[in-house]
Amino acid sequence: MEEKKLIITIGRQYGSGGAEVGKKLGKALGLEVYDKEILKMTSDESGIRESYFHLADERAGNRLLYKIVHSMIPEDTSPSLGADLVSSDNLFRFQSSVIRKLAQEESCIFIGRCAEYVLSGTENLVSVFIYADMEARTARIREKGYYAEEDIVKNIKRMDRERRDYHRYYTGKDWERLENYDILLNSGKLGVDGCVKSIMEYLKIRGLIEG
């Protein structure tokens, strides 16, 4: 289906269904989807080397991800092997390096992790942001059964705040700033499938996939 190299990033409000949009889009396009569960590293008392392998093992079937992560475990290259070995900043640098290397190797989709910023300037990069009104997001989180009814809205706001702070800290830009993205979609109005179809149409208009 693809005509050329294609990299898609998806930012999303909590409860908007952005991750599901990304996974369905990946299936429709035949692209690998890298989400925060795959790219997230856990720093523990055993150190960053184990974190590297943990990242690879999250998706053991993905040979490219394993190859890239494994190749980034030298003795004396970046990320830092100094006192900030397992710091959040160092882990972010490592994660960003993984994202860039994956984007260099294949067409793929990244969900979250400031990927639109990390990959800024990449050829054929399409940055998407999925949002929805609070009522739609509340209904979605309620269906997931993550929280007690009285805690749903509070946790949606908390997660949005954490994503907003994370994005601002590492990029210096506002997470929900329109200029960060090529296309913004309201999943509360379009639904997940509608968002996928809209992105596909956008890609066709851009000439990034066949019409």
Side-chain angles (χ1 to χ4, degrees), residues 125-142:
L125 171 67
V126 175
S127 300
V128 179
F129 190 81
I130 306 296
Y131 68 100
D133 57 67
M134 185 59 74
E135 183 178 354
R137 292 197 283 159
T138 299
R140 185 176 185 81
I141 297 302
R142 179 184 297 118

Side-chain angles (χ1 to χ4, degrees), residues 5 26 32 40 45-46 51-52 84 100-102 114 119 126 133 143 151 154 164 174 178 186 196 198:
K5 182 87 167 290
E32 190 70 44
K40 181 179 180 181
E45 59 191 12
S46 58
S51 294
Y52 288 171
D84 63 342
R100 292 190 191 98
K101 287 181 178 292
L102 287 168
C114 303
L119 296 173
V126 175
D133 57 67
E143 184 179 338
D151 295 328
K154 176 179 66 178
R164 189 177 297 114
D174 291 334
L178 302 181
N186 186 338
V196 172
S198 297

Side-chain angles (χ1 to χ4, degrees), residues 8-28:
I8 300 171
T9 67
I10 298 181
R12 71 277 184 246
Q13 288 183 323
Y14 184 66
S16 67
E20 187 177 348
V21 170
K23 291 171 184 176
K24 286 196 170 186
L25 181 63
K27 186 174 182 180

Side-chain angles (χ1 to χ4, degrees), residues 7-203:
I7 304 297
I8 300 171
T9 67
I10 298 181
R12 71 277 184 246
Q13 288 183 323
Y14 184 66
S16 67
E20 187 177 348
V21 170
K23 291 171 184 176
K24 286 196 170 186
L25 181 63
K27 186 174 182 180
L29 292 170
L31 301 183
E32 190 70 44
V33 179
Y34 298 102
D35 61 21
K36 66 179 181 179
E37 284 75 31
I38 296 170
L39 294 173
K40 181 179 180 181
M41 289 159 295
T42 56
S43 59
D44 53 33
E45 59 191 12
S46 58
I48 198 168
R49 283 179 178 273
E50 284 71 16
S51 294
Y52 288 171
F53 285 111
H54 173 72
L55 172 57
D57 290 342
E58 286 276 354
R59 193 74 172 264
N62 188 319
R63 294 181 181 179
L64 177 61
L65 179 62
Y66 180 83
K67 179 180 179 181
I68 287 175
V69 173
H70 185 76
S71 70
M72 295 175 67
I73 316 177
E75 291 297 332
D76 57 1
T77 60
S78 62
S80 169
L81 294 177
D84 63 342
L85 181 65
V86 293
S87 71
S88 295
D89 288 359
N90 194 46
L91 293 174
F92 181 82
R93 288 194 293 272
F94 175 78
Q95 174 183 269
S96 297
S97 295
V98 172
I99 290 174
R100 292 190 191 98
K101 287 181 178 292
L102 287 168
Q104 288 172 4
E105 293 293 329
E106 64 176 2
S107 292
C108 54
I109 298 171
F110 296 98
I111 299 174
R113 319 317 290 168
C114 303
E116 88 290 340
Y117 172 81
V118 172
L119 296 173
S120 178
T122 300
E123 185 177 5
N124 298 330
L125 171 67
V126 175
S127 300
V128 179
F129 190 81
I130 306 296
Y131 68 100
D133 57 67
M134 185 59 74
E135 183 178 354
R137 292 197 283 159
T138 299
R140 185 176 185 81
I141 297 302
R142 179 184 297 118
E143 184 179 338
K144 297 286 186 182
Y146 292 155
Y147 308 106
E149 180 65 31
E150 63 271 19
D151 295 328
I152 293 177
V153 172
K154 176 179 66 178
N155 280 286
I156 288 175
K157 291 180 178 180
R158 175 183 61 81
M159 289 296 292
D160 277 353
R161 182 174 63 253
E162 289 179 0
R163 290 179 180 179
R164 189 177 297 114
D165 291 346
Y166 178 89
H167 193 280
R168 180 184 287 276
Y169 180 81
Y170 286 111
T171 72
K173 297 183 178 182
D174 291 334
W175 175 52
E176 295 155 311
R177 186 178 176 86
L178 302 181
E179 291 83 350
N180 293 340
Y181 310 99
D182 297 305
I183 178 172
L184 294 88
L185 298 169
N186 186 338
S187 61
K189 303 294 184 183
L190 296 172
V192 168
D193 290 338
C195 287
V196 172
K197 291 178 182 178
S198 297
I199 296 170
M200 294 285 283
E201 287 301 314
Y202 178 84
L203 296 175

